[in-house]
Amino acid sequence: MVATRLVNRFGPARVMLTGFLAYAVCGVPLLVARPEPVWLGAIPAAGALRTAAAVAAGTTQRSLRQQLCPPELQSRAQHTSVWLVTGLRPAAALTAGAIAAAS
C-alpha cells in the first residue's frame, strides 16, 4: 500500500531509483560500525530502512514489468529477473572477498 502511494506521488522511476540507492546507502553503517553503543541503534534503523526501500523498489519493479510485458512473456521476464539477481551473487561475494583481503 505504501509503494502504491509513493508511485502515485513521485512516479515509478523515482521510486525505483531512490529505493535502489537507499538500499545501497543503508548498507554503509555495517561497513563503518565500531564497537560503540550508538551503533546498536544505527544498524537496526539502517536495516529497517533498507528493507523498506527494497520492498518499495521491488514492488514497483514487478508492477511496472507486469504492465509493460505482454501476458505470454510474463514468466520469461520474471525468470530473467531472478536469474540476473541470483546470478550476480557469486560475483558480489568474490568482489567482497577481494576487497576484504586487500584491506
Side-chain angles (χ1 to χ4, degrees), residues 26-37:
C26 287
V28 172
L30 290 173
L31 298 172
V32 298
R34 300 284 181 247
E36 298 170 1

Side-chain angles (χ1 to χ4, degrees), residues 71-100:
E72 64 272 9
L73 295 178
Q74 290 289 331
S75 176
R76 185 174 292 180
Q78 171 63 25
H79 288 289
T80 301
S81 176
V82 169
W83 181 81
L84 287 171
V85 170
T86 58
L88 291 176
R89 286 184 182 164
L94 285 172
T95 304
I99 292 170

Side-chain angles (χ1 to χ4, degrees), residues 10 12 20 37 43 56 58 65 68 76 90 95 98 102:
F10 301 110
F20 292 142
I43 290 176
R65 185 178 62 236
L68 297 176
R76 185 174 292 180
T95 304

Side-chain angles (χ1 to χ4, degrees), residues 8 12 27 40 49 57 82:
N8 289 339
L40 293 175
L49 184 58
V82 169

Side-chain angles (χ1 to χ4, degrees), residues 7-32:
V7 168
N8 289 339
R9 184 168 181 171
F10 301 110
R14 286 188 179 141
V15 171
M16 284 186 358
L17 291 175
T18 304
F20 292 142
L21 179 64
Y23 184 83
V25 169
C26 287
V28 172
L30 290 173
L31 298 172
V32 298

